[in-house]
Amino acid sequence: LRYVGISRSRHFFEANRGGQPWSATVDGGRRLLLNANLYENTNELLLKIAHAGTDGFHPSGSNTPAFPVIHEMGHLVNDWLTGRTRVAIRDDGKLRPISVITNKWIREHVGNMELSRYSLVDHSEAWAEGFASLYLNKNLTPYAQELKKFLDRVTDMSKWVAIK
């Protein structure tokens, strides 16, 4: 993971990220890019943040400047666990790659309205919304609680076995 800085190109965010003004992962999920136009304009940022999480589009606790950054970090963690990791753990008595276990968990856990409306876009957004909730919300939804248990299990490095 590398933070690559900020972009001043509204065109990049509007054309390539469906108008998402906050931030984005780029370079195949390896880098995080922040929208400088939003983060450098404090008044605009504070207005957007004040409304985030109040209408159910994003989870409770999302009305902070940290939310979009943590949300995008959730995408990076998801990307690493679903394909970039070269690690396995014991699962049901068998040694399985974390990517296989993660993809299975994703198929079994679908985001729901209890998390946020944005989590209904796809499993990736549900994961990112849940990931951000872990850090910003004291009252976790059932989905976020399950995500926390899962992350605690697969990120316990004492159980990792390197695979080729």
Side-chain angles (χ1 to χ4, degrees), residues 4-16:
V4 291
I6 55 179
S7 171
R8 297 188 190 288
S9 170
R10 282 196 188 272
H11 172 74
F12 171 82
F13 287 99
E14 290 168 2
N16 298 313

Side-chain angles (χ1 to χ4, degrees), residues 56-59 110-127 129-130 143:
F57 188 73
H58 288 297
V110 177
N112 57 49
M113 288 294 284
E114 193 172 355
L115 182 59
S116 73
R117 287 197 325 266
Y118 191 50
S119 69
L120 295 174
V121 170
D122 60 32
H123 70 79
S124 177
E125 295 306 340
W127 178 288
E129 294 280 273
Y143 177 88

Side-chain angles (χ1 to χ4, degrees), residues 61-132:
S62 60
N63 55 341
T64 168
F67 174 77
V69 175
I70 297 171
H71 173 102
E72 295 302 331
M73 290 294 293
H75 284 299
L76 297 172
V77 170
N78 176 270
D79 187 61
W80 184 77
L81 288 173
T82 56
R84 291 206 162 76
T85 178
R86 311 281 300 165
V87 175
I89 61 171
R90 293 247 172 241
D91 181 52
D92 296 329
K94 296 181 181 176
L95 195 60
R96 298 183 202 275
I98 286 179
S99 59
V100 170
I101 296 167
T102 302
N103 283 308
K104 178 182 175 204
W105 188 91
I106 288 169
R107 284 191 307 275
E108 294 171 350
H109 294 79
V110 177
N112 57 49
M113 288 294 284
E114 193 172 355
L115 182 59
S116 73
R117 287 197 325 266
Y118 191 50
S119 69
L120 295 174
V121 170
D122 60 32
H123 70 79
S124 177
E125 295 306 340
W127 178 288
E129 294 280 273
F131 187 85

Side-chain angles (χ1 to χ4, degrees), residues 1 9 14 33-34 39 46-47 76 78 80-81 89 107 129 133 136 152 155 159:
L1 167 66
S9 170
E14 290 168 2
L33 185 67
L34 302 179
Y39 281 90
L46 291 175
L47 277 173
L76 297 172
N78 176 270
W80 184 77
L81 288 173
I89 61 171
R107 284 191 307 275
E129 294 280 273
S133 291
L136 300 171
D152 287 346
T155 60
K159 297 180 180 167

Side-chain angles (χ1 to χ4, degrees), residues 1 20-23 44 51 60 62 64-65 79 82 84 92 96 105 108 115 131 133 135 139 145 151 156-157 161 164:
L1 167 66
Q20 168 61 282
W22 300 91
S23 52
E44 184 179 349
H51 297 292
S60 172
S62 60
T64 168
D79 187 61
T82 56
R84 291 206 162 76
D92 296 329
R96 298 183 202 275
W105 188 91
E108 294 171 350
L115 182 59
F131 187 85
S133 291
Y135 294 93
N139 299 314
Q145 290 173 14
L151 289 171
D156 180 351
M157 293 175 65
V161 176
K164 294 180 181 182

